[in-house]
Structure formats: C-alpha cells, structure tokens
Amino acid sequence: MNQWEVVIGIETHAQLSSVSKIFSGASTAFGAAPNTQACAVDLALPGVLPVLNRKAVECAIRFGLAIGAQVAPKSVFARKNYFYPDLPKGYQISQFELPVVQGGAITVAVGSGDKAYEKTVNLTRAHLEEDAGKSLHEDFHGKSGIDLNRAGTPLLEIVTEPDMRSSDEAVAYARALHALVRWIGICDGNMQEGSFRCDANVSVRRPGAPYGTRREIKNLNSFRFLKEAIDFEVQWQINEIEEGRAIQQATVLFDPDSGETRMMRSKEDAHDYRYFPDPDLLPLLIPADWIDRVRGELPELPNQKRQRFIAQFGLSAYDATTLTASQEIAAYFEAVVGIAGAANAKPCANWVMVDLAARLNKEGREIGESPVSAAQLGGLIQRIADNTISNNIAKKVFEALWNGEGASADEVIEKQGLRQITDSGAIAALVDEVIAANPGNVAEYRAGKEKAFNALVGQVMKAAKGKANPQQVNALLKEKLAG
Ligand code: ADP
Ligand code: MG
C-alpha cells in the first residue's frame, strides 16, 4: 500500500487586545515610529521589574472558558532563554510547566455540501507570553535595525494536539480559531499586522504506525499560505521517505513566491531553552470568583449560536456555519429574520450569504458598512414573501436601496411602480396580446418546442415591464395555448 496519513498540530500566536504591554505600561498600538513605544522594562534596563497586566490575564480566562478548558487556579511564568538581538533581556517571559489554560477543544466544520463533516480538534494548552522586538534588515545597507515597539506585547500561544489530518482540516481549524478570538474580543485578528500567526507542525506516517518525525513551518500569516505550505511540506516529506531518506526534526520557513518550504534551523528542544520560573514574578493566582465573573460576561459563542440557528430556523449546518463566521454577520442575519419572520429564515439566509455578500464583496466592504440595513433587507424579503414583488424585481429594489434611492423597500416599490401585477384579468389581456402578435412561436410551441414557450413568457414579462407574477403568467399561457 502506497498510502500516507498526514498529521498536523498547530501553534498560534494571538496578540491580545490590551492597550498596554504584558509587563509594562508602554502602548501596544501598531505602526508607531521605531522604539517610541518601548519603556525601560521593554528595553531591559537594569533594575526594572515586570508587573503583570490584568487585562492580558482576563483575555486568557475568556479564551479558556470559550473552549471548555481548565483555567488553572495557579500558573507560573518562566524564563525561556535564548540570544537574539531583538530580545534585550536574553530571555522571553513565557509559561512552561504550568500554563494558564489547559485542555479544551474546538469543533469545526470542514468542507461543504455532501462532503461536509465536523471535526473536533483538542487543545493541549494556551499560555501567556511576551512578544519579542523586530529586526529590520532592509533599510540599513549591510546592518540591521532593531525596533523594540513590539517587545513585551501580550501574546496567547494556543497549542493543539496533533489531531488534524489534512491541510483542509488545518485551515478550517485556523479559521474557526481566528473567528473565535475576534468573537470574544481578545484579539483583533489582523493577520497583515501579525496579530494572528500560525506555526504548522507536519509529519506523515503509514496509517496505524506511530507518529512520524515532524517539521515545523513558522509564522504563516494567511490561510492560503497555511494550506500551500502544508501541501508542499507533505509532498516533500513523502518524497524524502520514499527515496529512502529519514526526516530530520527541523524548523522551516515557507516562501510564498516559490511555494516551497526551506529549512531555517534544526529544531531546538525544550532543554535548549533552560526554562526556569521567573524569580521576578509571583505565581499567577486566579480565584474562582474571577472566573465566574468572566463567564458571566461571555457572549453566546459561535458554536452555540450555530446550533441554535439550526434548531430555531431549520438552517443547514453549512448555512449556520457561514452565518456565524463573525458576530457582525450573525447579528445582521438575526436582525433580518427579526423583521421578515422565522418562516422566511431560509430566504433571509440566502439574501445575506449570497446577494448581500456578493454586493459587499464587489466593493470590498464589511457587513458593518453595508448601505442596506438589516431592517431594509428584512422589509424587502417580506414583500417577496407576500407576493408584492417577484424575486427578480426584488434584486432591482435591493440595488435601489443600496444606492440610497429610498428609505425602505415599500418606498422604492411605490415610487418606481414595481408592485407585481397579480390581477389575472390584466395578465390574461397581456397573454392574449402576445399570442396574437407571435404566431410563429405559438406554432412552434404547438409543434412541441419547449423553447418557444419560454420565448412567449419572456414577451409577456416584457409587456408587463417585468412586473407580472411569473407563476400566473406561466399558468395562463399554458391554459390559453392549450385551448
Ligand atoms: P515543542 O515543545 O517542541 O514545541 P510540542 O510537543 O509542544 O513540541 O508540540 C508542538 C506542536 O507540534 C503541537 O501542536 C503538537 O500537536 C505538534 N506535534 C507534536 N508531534 C507531532 C507530530 N509527530 N506530527 C505533527 N505534529 C506534531
Ligand atoms: Mg511549542
């Protein structure tokens, strides 16, 4: 058997949205001039002491509760020692043996349509740590610049078990995690600015065999790169093994231009870092009442909302997943259903996921910037449901609302005279006219050509300026042509 199983575990660094750094009062704002947001603690001047930021801890608690993990009543900060120019202390403050969040799981939807399935990814841990500074290699002709603005920025490192079995599962997990940290307000998720970056640990094995040796692809900052990097790496490892070479544990980088992964360094082990508890910091104690308060403040979570959408509105798992991709989309959808009624939940879902999404996409807008409000869209869907307008005309009304040509669907329908013609006498008159004016089509239809019928429907709709009720037009035409 020439079959290989892929094994993936992901480590994610999520930058926590606190105003100041994890152990100092300096600002975490992105984009300031180099070294203007690095205070004595971030610069590691002698004699300074770290003071833990309460907000960062609160973010970790929120996350732990959101994934059903154990929030450790006592956790410990440790020094992870290594030398790098952007790390002036010579060590990073992180957590090692006792992380603040332990266990937990995230269930994600993978694929769509018939091939869709659910996958639960178990988490090992999530721990608090500080980010390092940045080395700037580009602007300084043969020298490097060091910007310590990022030094001390609070991170939550979120580590999964090696549970994923394909790049699609890895991307589904990363997307769900990205949505979750934004949903609970602990990370802005800005991947360009590096607020959310993933390391993918990849190995291959024969099904049933022990885990193979992994290589870790560092710092993937888009979902597309995550997928491309894993796919390349898997193929590379399979080739190596099939050609008789063993995989060496290593840290690799993905080059988006070539689509290849390249070895950066052979992988260091925990003992290389000489971890030990940081004597400058007390153990982190989180009393139960703090956890209870944070639990009380959590919003309905994406998975809960998703289950509720399925149960309450009869939506498919796929629709429910799409509509809970962010809190903004979910809130918009619920507001639309609130107006149009739960009986119209499916058309509401379609309008939000298809028509509105396409229109927003075309102009590169977020749902929060939609010129058509949820109330306006809900009102529009009501008018489709009660047969005031057809689906086709509704698209016109939607466009008019988008362009600010009316305050509501009703106003646009009245102003532009778009009300559907349902008076069967009026439609019958149009049908008669069209039959009389198109003897060729009529003859063809009677000779068995279905296409000729569609041409006649088109003529009637044209005569009615698109406003005749399509079902009635069809029925009356059939009736009269048969007669
Ligand atoms: P380290 O201490 O070197 O960072 P960990 O044991 O913490 O290593 O694992 C880091 C990540 O690698 C985790 O997400 C874990 O699930 C994943 N991982 C561990 N072993 C494998 C393997 N054989 N194949 C793929 N991923 C793995
Ligand atoms: Mg690790």
Side-chain angles (χ1 to χ4, degrees), residues 241-304:
I241 297 171
E242 289 186 344
E243 287 173 17
R245 288 184 291 273
I247 303 295
Q248 306 297 326
Q249 189 164 320
T251 302
V252 305
L253 285 180
F254 175 67
D255 176 1
D257 295 327
S258 65
E260 298 181 357
T261 53
R262 218 173 329 104
M263 166 122 153
M264 182 162 92
R265 55 175 189 249
S266 68
K267 169 78 181 170
E268 56 294 293
D269 283 314
H271 63 253
D272 295 324
Y273 289 119
R274 298 168 355 264
Y275 279 102
F276 64 90
D278 191 319
D280 287 345
L281 286 157
L282 291 167
L284 169 57
L285 302 179
I286 302 177
D289 60 345
W290 191 3
I291 298 176
D292 289 342
R293 182 172 61 67
V294 175
R295 186 182 283 117
E297 291 166 3
L298 273 182
E300 185 183 26
L301 297 168
N303 251 327
Q304 296 169 332

Side-chain angles (χ1 to χ4, degrees), residues 423-436 460 463 476 480:
D423 169 4
S424 48
I427 296 176
L430 292 173
V431 167
D432 287 338
E433 269 171 39
V434 167
I435 287 178
V460 178
L476 280 167
K480 293 196 182 261

Side-chain angles (χ1 to χ4, degrees), residues 309 313 315 319 322-323 329-357 367 373-385 391 398:
F309 282 4
F313 302 128
L315 295 182
D319 288 0
T322 309
L323 292 168
I329 293 172
Y332 189 100
F333 168 71
E334 285 207 82
V336 174
V337 178
I339 304 270
N344 293 311
K346 181 60 187 164
C348 290
N350 286 343
W351 273 90
V352 173
M353 297 186 321
V354 183
D355 306 75
L356 177 66
I367 197 157
S373 70
Q376 288 174 322
L377 183 55
L380 173 63
I381 293 167
Q382 275 181 308
R383 292 300 156 259
I384 306 168
N391 248 315
F398 177 81

Side-chain angles (χ1 to χ4, degrees), residues 136-143:
L136 310 169
H137 301 296
E138 266 145 38
D139 305 333
F140 302 96
H141 311 285
K143 298 186 181 122

Side-chain angles (χ1 to χ4, degrees), residues 35 85-86 134-140 143-147:
N35 298 308
D86 62 20
K134 257 186 208 161
S135 300
L136 310 169
H137 301 296
E138 266 145 38
D139 305 333
F140 302 96
K143 298 186 181 122
S144 289
I146 302 291
D147 177 7

Side-chain angles (χ1 to χ4, degrees), residues 73 75 84 86 96 107 112 121 124 150 194-195 207 274 302 306 320 416 428:
S75 61
Y84 207 74
D86 62 20
F96 183 54
T107 297
S112 63
V121 177
T124 314
R150 202 179 62 183
S195 302
R274 298 168 355 264
R306 181 170 167 273
Q416 303 193 10

Side-chain angles (χ1 to χ4, degrees), residues 11 127 157 159 216 267:
E11 296 166 279
H127 62 253
E157 179 173 340
V159 183
E216 177 177 7
K267 169 78 181 170

Side-chain angles (χ1 to χ4, degrees), residues 158-219:
I158 302 157
V159 183
T160 76
E161 292 290 296
D163 281 354
M164 287 152 280
R165 292 292 173 270
S166 67
S167 57
D168 286 338
E169 288 185 3
V171 170
Y173 161 77
R175 282 188 184 281
L177 179 66
H178 183 251
L180 179 66
V181 295
R182 293 174 64 208
W183 190 290
I184 60 175
I186 66 166
C187 170
D188 67 18
N190 189 325
M191 296 176 86
Q192 280 84 46
E193 292 178 2
S195 302
F196 185 94
R197 36 193 210 264
C198 293
D199 305 337
N201 295 269
V202 179
S203 66
V204 298
R205 65 170 172 181
R206 301 289 186 186
Y211 286 141
T213 303
R214 72 193 143 106
R215 304 210 310 163
E216 177 177 7
I217 316 166
K218 276 289 191 199
N219 276 334

